[in-house]
Each structure stands twice: as C-alpha cells, then as structure tokens.
Amino acid sequence: MAKGKDVRIRVILECTSCVRNGVNKNKVSAGISRYITQKNRHNTPNRLELRKFCPYCYKHTIHGEIKK
C-alpha cells in the first residue's frame, strides 16, 4: 500500500543575515547562501534552523527553513 505523506522530507535552508541585509552590496559576488537537507516531519514539526557557513557573509550564520 502507498503511504499518503513521507515522514522524511527535503527542506531548503537559507541564510537569514543575507536576506535581512540585502546581501553585501559592496562585494563583487552577490547572492544568498542556500543548503538542501532532510528532516523528519514527526520529530521536527516546526521550522528547522541550523548554524551553517555562508560564503557571502564569510562567517557562520543561522540558516532557516524556507518554503519551496
């Protein structure tokens, strides 16, 4: 039998400081850092936040889950 919804889903994490600051305007490389990962829907029902390295900010920042 097929299951309705999968327990483990794929999520996209986006840098929160790049979005807030509008990405470093004086830097040559402009963009927003994004990571793709998986989470268990039953264990983590709320939004996921992880501390990851942002190559545009050149430091470790909080990356939050966004909608696809």
Side-chain angles (χ1 to χ4, degrees):
M1 302 299 283
K3 294 182 181 178
K5 291 193 173 190
D6 293 333
V7 175
R8 191 160 281 282
I9 58 171
R10 183 171 283 169
V11 295
I12 300 172
L13 302 175
E14 187 176 81
C15 180
T16 55
S17 63
C18 285
V19 175
R20 235 182 289 129
N21 296 337
V23 185
N24 303 335
K25 294 173 182 154
N26 56 356
K27 300 282 182 180
V28 176
S29 61
I32 297 173
S33 173
R34 289 189 174 169
Y35 286 94
I36 298 174
T37 187
Q38 292 181 344
K39 79 170 188 176
N40 189 324
R41 186 178 293 170
H42 295 304
N43 294 341
T44 321
N46 50 357
R47 294 208 174 222
L48 188 65
E49 285 190 344
L50 295 174
R51 206 159 169 260
K52 308 281 272 174
F53 181 78
C54 178
Y56 302 106
C57 299
Y58 300 107
K59 59 184 176 182
H60 283 84
T61 58
I62 295 176
H63 285 64
E65 181 181 337
I66 61 168
K67 290 188 176 181
K68 292 182 181 179

